[in-house]
Amino acid sequence: MGLSKTERRQRIKRRIRKVSFGTAQRPRLSVFRSNKDIYVQVIDDNNGVTLAAASSRDKDIAGQKGTKSEIANLVGKAIAEKTKKAGVEAVAFDRGGCLYHGRVKSLAEGAREAGLKF
């Protein structure tokens, strides 16, 4: 009998976290995707601090119209701006066990368009 979808995703997430570690110079860009919204935060794992966070529930993004992928692109641009204000240019991307397509890919492309390097 195979693994359930959530068990499979947790395995992938643990495997990614073994190699993806956020430092002060290159923090981790962690993505969480729910059915309706998408959340992202920039984390310095050495100090255990969240440097910046954005989500599709933020006031400036929640009012926007569009598909979930288009909203994810806006969230990517928003996190890139907040991260640059915090003085960080490059991050390590942590897709959180999700496949790199759809909303996760759209968020990453939005962050890259706004100048974040990863």
Side-chain angles (χ1 to χ4, degrees):
M1 192 161 158
L3 297 172
S4 72
K5 192 184 280 190
T6 53
E7 288 170 336
R8 182 179 171 280
R9 186 168 167 263
Q10 288 301 318
R11 272 193 183 181
I12 295 168
K13 191 173 183 175
R14 281 193 297 268
R15 192 167 56 231
I16 291 169
R17 288 287 287 122
K18 282 182 193 173
V19 293
S20 179
F21 190 80
T23 62
Q25 292 80 25
R26 192 176 172 98
R28 179 169 54 96
L29 182 78
S30 177
V31 177
F32 174 73
R33 179 181 57 89
S34 71
N35 285 337
K36 186 178 176 186
D37 296 306
I38 191 158
Y39 307 86
V40 62
Q41 44 185 344
V42 178
I43 304 164
D44 174 7
D45 289 315
N46 282 340
N47 301 321
V49 195
T50 299
L51 304 174
S55 78
S56 56
R57 298 181 73 176
D58 291 348
K59 288 182 182 177
D60 54 336
I61 298 171
Q64 299 285 332
K65 298 283 186 196
T67 63
K68 289 191 271 188
S69 291
E70 291 167 352
I71 298 295
N73 193 287
L74 295 175
V75 173
K77 290 177 182 175
I79 194 67
E81 290 171 15
K82 290 179 180 182
T83 304
K84 284 188 169 187
K85 284 181 185 174
V88 176
E89 293 292 319
V91 295
F93 191 69
D94 174 11
R95 57 191 170 90
C98 301
L99 296 176
Y100 185 80
H101 72 96
R103 288 191 280 161
V104 175
K105 184 176 180 180
S106 180
L107 184 138
E109 289 171 351
R112 284 191 184 111
E113 286 170 18
L116 202 58
K117 293 180 178 66
F118 57 93

